[in-house]
Amino acid sequence: MDQFINQPVSFAEEERPWRPPSLRKVGMLCLITTETALFSIFVVAYLFYMGKSLNGPYPHEILAFPWSGSIALIGSSFTLHAAEWFLKKGNRAMFHLWWFITIAMGAYFLYFTGHEWYEFIYHHHLTISTNVFGSTFYSLVGLHASHVVVGLILLSIILISSLRGKLHHDHHEHVEMIGWYWHFVDAVWIVVLTVVYILSAHY
Amino acid sequence: MAHGSSTTPEDDFVITPTRPGEEKGSWSSVIQDLLFTVDHKKLGLMYIGSGLIFFVIAGLMAAAIRLQLAIPNAHFLEPDVFNRFFTMHGTAMVFLVGMPIIFGMANYLVPLMVGARDMAFPRLNAFGFWMFFFSAWFLYFSYFAGPGLYNAGSAPDVGWFAYSPLTSKAFSRGHSSDYWTLALLASGVGSIATAINIIVTTISLRCKGMTLGRMPLFVWTFLVVAFLVIIAIPPLSACQIMLLLDRYLGAKFFDTQAGGSAVLWQHFFWIFGHPEVYILILPGFAAMNEIVPVFSRKPIFGYPIMVGANVMIAFISLGVWAHHMFTVGMTSLGNSFFAISTMLVAVPTGIKIFNWIGTMYGGKIRFELPMLFCIAFLFQFLIAGLTGVMLSVAPFDWQLSDSYFVVAHFHYVLIGGLLFTIFATIYFWYPKCFGRMLSHKLGMWHFWLFTIGFHVTFFPQHISGFLGMPRRIYTYEAGRGWEIWNMMSSLGVILQAAGILIFVWNLIYSYRKGKIAGDDPWDAWTLEWATTSPPPDYNFEKTPEVRSRRPLWDLKHPDDPDWKYE
């Protein structure tokens, strides 16, 4: 027994390099978790108030499925991916091109939402204070749009710094994290699309 | 760092000599240092220091409330001033005392315990602190706004839960609810920033060899707390945004006349509010996990089970919020679900209590001050837990909801639980922070006066609650049998206040005159005791490497280290 305890212990783990997860990735995952919690409450509020408006306009009267905006935003996840692929290959020109297309698609989505709101406010007279549909619709879609704005700012910072030659090889992870954020914004849009434009469409 | 030609890693951490005009100790340099620092230790102490300041202010409000309620038909506080006082007392104690002090504990200790040089994002850390600090003073500024100090300004007067429609434009005129909403929204952003920082530090900055299974339980518990913060604070922020939209843009979220729902506020608020209770009490458990083993001279009993219990408490706490709403009139299925899930929390909590007792069992217990506060915690938290189980029974809750019984219950949780472990934490780690011990004699006076005062204040409230005394009334008539219990409660406050006074004096006195502590005054086992007291700016000269859960034990007992058995 004594011998057993006094034997020199070999540490298999000592051989392995000590590499805890990257702090940017963990940080971004935490941010996404907390944003998910925030969005869930607004989604729950929307679902809870579905069909509880006491006066019009009601969702089925004015909501039109946002085809072009959705295609632009969801498509931008793929163009972003293409841009990242070219960055990894070291092809800066193609990276800039696809990154710019991503920004343009995001900007189109924002324009689309703005146009939709304009229609609702000036032609259908639906404001945030009209009824509970207005309150929940503008707060949920507005919260998402504000995240698109932040995403566009982040994407533009990357593009500008890359064009000015300030984006170095060790910034790969920064680019990747902004990509994660953008994918998250897209995923939220799929939820919003389902809840607002499909589930509540006949109320 | 100043010398570019350095070759060895040690040379990177040469302390730069004091720059001219920056002599140590001058007031302006100290203030400059505090304003611009990103060092986790300074920020931690700033959190705890400002938390203690708000603790004294909120405590004075509680004393005023007790003075008003000491005798029937008293006229010491006007009714609306009374409302402002109990609202600000509750809000401050939760958001400006509890939260910052636990963040201070985490800020100071987590990087040291995992063997890191700082938090993962030091500037974000400073941002979190200043968000909290400014929002706190913003909240207190409300006393000077509106009708000014004499009528207590337009301080929030709607309860710390700000139930709608009390907070709607129609019922809450002026800006009191806006102060409440904006201040807590801002401090929520800071809390989330700090929590993310804690998680990233714990996961990504652990020193070599510190696997998740070797992390001190303190760090494990704070990891769970930080996760609860990032999941539970956003619902509060969301419903505060909705409230602001209601008040300023005429949205209809909580407007019952336009199809909105006042109960939805309660759901959203308690989805935050219940986990918040565990955000506040789990750090208490964290301190217990470190202090009990050191003063029992035994490793913690059942480490993996303690980790599991933490995670289970956090998980269950997210599904019990509506036990605050039994009297709202939910379905009986809803009531049953929330009653049973609430009782379930008693299981992991019981596991923890048994494991602490198991740690003490057969140990060589040293009754130093941190340990005394921990033992008091055990008894008081047991009482708090038992009254909690009582209240989780929906029919019982219908009888006692919003009575003083509930007040007694949550003060047993938050004072008997959290505050006692905060005291234990301060007595235990003060030597590490300042290099000097807190005076044992003053500490004993503090302990006994405060413990007795606490029980004299809050135990009678169980009885006045049973006798039907409701919460939040500013006065009451004689002849209902409440007088004696209220008088006792109010007298207990004097003892508590005396205890706090001695404690504050102890903090100041020992800073200059306390016994020199040395690096490891308690003969403890976690990494923070491996560096000097107070630790240098960079924490460790060489990043440590650990092989077991008690790295300092290994260091002190090379003949019989822990890692041989793990």
Side-chain angles (χ1 to χ4, degrees):
Chain A
M1 191 65 193
D2 242 24
Q3 266 178 336
F4 175 73
I5 291 174
N6 286 331
Q7 262 178 3
V9 184
S10 76
F11 281 97
E13 61 184 79
E14 300 288 290
E15 315 302 323
R16 277 185 286 144
W18 179 250
R19 214 176 280 141
S22 136
L23 82 190
R24 287 187 201 92
K25 284 186 181 164
V26 179
M28 184 49 82
L29 282 178
C30 289
L31 184 71
I32 287 174
T33 311
T34 191
E35 294 276 12
T36 308
L38 184 68
F39 273 106
S40 332
I41 294 295
F42 280 92
V43 169
V44 167
Y46 190 90
L47 288 168
F48 182 81
Y49 284 131
M50 236 161 46
K52 293 213 173 111
S53 291
L54 301 182
N55 55 303
Y58 300 103
H60 70 91
E61 293 171 354
I62 57 170
L63 282 184
F65 196 82
W67 284 110
S68 63
S70 305
I71 290 171
L73 190 65
I74 295 165
S76 71
S77 256
F78 295 96
T79 56
L80 180 93
H81 206 73
E84 279 177 344
W85 190 78
F86 281 115
L87 184 67
K88 272 195 191 121
K89 290 272 161 215
N91 189 340
R92 277 299 167 99
M94 289 302 275
F95 164 66
H96 291 152
L97 177 68
W98 285 104
W99 198 264
F100 179 77
I101 293 174
T102 309
I103 294 175
M105 286 165 93
Y108 174 77
F109 171 82
L110 215 54
Y111 163 77
F112 180 87
T113 304
H115 186 73
E116 186 191 37
W117 285 28
Y118 175 81
E119 290 284 318
F120 284 1
I121 293 170
Y122 287 98
H123 296 142
H124 301 288
H125 306 293
L126 177 79
T127 64
I128 198 164
S129 61
T130 307
N131 54 18
V132 287
F133 167 56
S135 304
T136 49
F137 172 81
Y138 285 114
S139 60
L140 177 57
V141 177
L143 186 70
H144 177 261
S146 68
H147 281 73
V148 176
V149 172
V150 172
L152 284 177
I153 293 171
L154 293 173
L155 292 173
S156 310
I157 290 173
I158 292 288
L159 184 65
I160 291 166
S161 45
S162 178
L163 285 172
R164 292 177 66 204
K166 296 265 165 79
L167 195 71
H168 297 300
H169 188 70
D170 52 342
H171 289 141
H172 258 301
E173 209 174 53
H174 294 78
V175 177
E176 201 187 337
M177 288 308 102
I178 288 168
W180 283 17
Y181 178 82
W182 191 252
H183 291 314
F184 166 71
V185 170
D186 275 2
V188 170
W189 180 247
I190 293 173
V191 174
V192 173
L193 205 60
T194 318
V195 169
V196 174
Y197 293 93
I198 298 174
L199 285 183
S200 79
H202 60 277
Y203 277 101
Chain B
M1 243 174 265
H3 312 289
S5 61
S6 64
T7 42
T8 57
E10 277 82 2
D11 282 354
D12 281 347
F13 294 95
V14 171
I15 309 168
T16 44
T18 328
R19 270 165 271 156
E22 218 184 70
E23 308 109 65
K24 216 173 172 199
S26 90
W27 273 105
S28 64
S29 77
V30 170
I31 289 168
Q32 262 188 31
D33 196 25
L34 293 183
L35 278 178
F36 299 122
T37 188
V38 290
D39 179 43
H40 74 100
K41 296 183 288 298
K42 280 180 195 144
L43 286 168
L45 293 177
M46 280 152 77
Y47 264 121
I48 295 173
S50 34
L52 288 177
I53 292 171
F54 296 127
F55 171 70
V56 170
I57 298 175
L60 287 174
M61 280 176 198
I65 291 170
R66 275 325 314 172
L67 194 59
Q68 162 72 11
L69 292 173
I71 51 167
N73 296 316
H75 291 290
F76 174 60
L77 295 178
E78 296 301 311
D80 51 345
V81 178
F82 184 86
N83 286 352
R84 297 198 160 101
F85 272 29
F86 81 70
T87 301
M88 287 292 277
H89 167 71
T91 309
M93 282 297 187
V94 172
F95 292 100
L96 313 184
V97 179
M99 295 282 275
I101 291 184
I102 63 164
F103 281 143
M105 285 157 67
N107 245 304
Y108 199 98
L109 293 169
V110 165
L112 282 167
M113 281 187 171
V114 298
R117 289 216 154 105
D118 205 325
M119 296 284 267
F121 307 113
R123 278 171 291 184
L124 185 70
N125 204 14
F127 167 80
F129 172 78
W130 290 108
M131 281 301 272
F132 145 69
F133 193 74
F134 285 122
S135 67
W137 288 116
F138 180 74
L139 192 61
Y140 277 115
F141 177 74
S142 60
Y143 274 109
F144 300 97
L149 194 59
Y150 181 65
N151 283 328
S154 51
D157 53 358
V158 286
W160 82 278
F161 36 77
Y163 277 170
S164 115
L166 264 182
T167 38
S168 70
K169 206 76 180 166
F171 293 99
S172 173
R173 295 179 177 282
H175 290 295
S176 54
S177 295
D178 301 326
Y179 277 109
W180 184 86
T181 315
L182 290 169
L184 298 191
L185 197 58
S187 91
V189 173
S191 304
I192 289 170
T194 310
I196 290 181
N197 223 335
I198 293 170
I199 296 175
V200 180
T201 308
T202 315
I203 292 183
S204 300
L205 294 188
R206 278 168 292 147
C207 66
K208 191 167 184 222
M210 184 166 286
T211 56
L212 287 179
R214 287 179 194 156
M215 253 170 19
L217 272 176
F218 185 93
V219 180
W220 252 114
T221 317
F222 266 101
L223 184 64
V224 173
V225 172
F227 267 112
L228 270 184
V229 170
I230 66 170
I231 294 169
I233 299 273
L236 176 69
S237 309
C239 67
Q240 285 172 327
I241 292 168
M242 290 173 191
L243 182 62
L244 282 177
L245 292 176
D246 269 14
R247 288 177 63 85
Y248 280 98
L249 298 179
K252 307 292 183 209
F253 284 106
F254 308 120
D255 182 353
T256 44
Q257 294 189 324
S261 161
V263 177
L264 194 69
W265 170 272
Q266 295 197 21
H267 276 292
F268 286 169
F269 183 82
W270 289 118
I271 285 175
F272 148 77
H274 195 77
E276 172 69 16
V277 176
Y278 291 89
I279 291 170
L280 291 173
I281 197 62
L282 279 169
F285 296 173
M288 286 289 286
N289 288 337
E290 294 308 318
I291 296 169
V292 169
V294 167
F295 290 100
S296 308
R297 308 313 300 158
K298 278 174 68 190
I300 190 94
F301 180 77
Y303 176 97
I305 300 168
M306 291 296 253
V307 172
N310 280 335
V311 176
M312 200 170 147
I313 288 172
F315 186 75
I316 299 174
S317 79
L318 292 169
V320 301
W321 72 88
H323 69 212
H324 293 261
M325 299 163 61
F326 284 145
T327 50
V328 163
M330 294 181 297
T331 57
S332 33
L333 183 69
N335 279 350
S336 312
F337 172 80
F338 286 106
I340 291 166
S341 59
T342 305
M343 290 171 200
L344 217 56
V345 181
V347 175
T349 315
I351 290 174
K352 300 202 73 127
I353 289 184
F354 280 123
N355 280 12
W356 290 320
I357 295 172
T359 309
M360 289 185 216
Y361 180 80
K364 272 191 258 168
I365 298 181
R366 291 183 289 171
F367 290 99
E368 296 281 352
L369 278 158
M371 188 63 172
L372 281 179
F373 277 105
C374 283
I375 292 171
F377 164 93
L378 265 183
F379 286 105
Q380 286 152 191
F381 194 70
L382 184 66
I383 297 175
L386 292 176
T387 52
V389 175
M390 286 160 84
L391 285 171
S392 75
V393 181
F396 187 87
D397 186 78
W398 288 342
Q399 301 302 316
L400 286 172
S401 184
D402 278 340
S403 77
Y404 260 78
F405 186 85
V406 179
V407 177
H409 161 68
F410 67 69
H411 280 92
Y412 263 80
V413 177
L414 292 175
I415 298 183
L418 176 66
L419 189 60
F420 269 71
T421 48
I422 287 176
F423 288 143
T425 306
I426 292 176
Y427 280 99
F428 189 60
W429 277 290
Y430 187 94
K432 180 46 61 183
C433 302
F434 299 108
R436 285 177 190 268
M437 310 290 284
L438 281 169
S439 152
H440 184 79
K441 207 169 124 200
L442 289 174
M444 289 303 267
W445 275 100
H446 166 215
F447 174 75
W448 286 109
L449 281 174
F450 193 82
T451 312
I452 294 170
F454 161 71
H455 286 284
V456 172
T457 306
F458 292 104
F459 198 80
Q461 296 186 355
H462 290 112
I463 300 164
S464 51
F466 269 124
L467 296 176
M469 182 172 170
R471 284 161 85 174
R472 307 180 198 118
I473 48 168
Y474 84 103
T475 191
Y476 52 93
E477 283 172 14
R480 298 191 175 180
W482 303 344
E483 294 97 327
I484 174 84
W485 309 115
N486 273 300
M487 183 48 93
M488 272 175 77
S489 264
S490 300
L491 288 176
V493 171
I494 300 169
L495 295 179
Q496 288 191 67
I500 294 296
L501 212 64
I502 292 171
F503 172 63
V504 172
W505 170 243
N506 197 356
L507 290 180
I508 299 166
Y509 169 84
S510 302
Y511 183 73
R512 298 245 176 249
K513 302 260 171 72
K515 212 172 76 192
I516 300 290
D519 293 350
D520 185 11
W522 309 114
D523 195 10
W525 301 309
T526 35
L527 276 181
E528 77 270 27
W529 304 103
T531 177
T532 54
S533 313
D537 285 345
Y538 44 86
N539 289 354
F540 300 99
E541 275 188 36
K542 255 177 81 177
T543 2
E545 214 182 304
V546 298
R547 289 169 152 196
S548 78
R549 282 174 202 151
R550 301 194 297 168
L552 258 64
W553 173 276
D554 297 352
L555 210 67
K556 290 172 197 162
H557 304 268
D559 46 317
D560 187 26
D562 265 3
W563 48 261
K564 278 192 181 169
Y565 310 105
E566 275 184 12

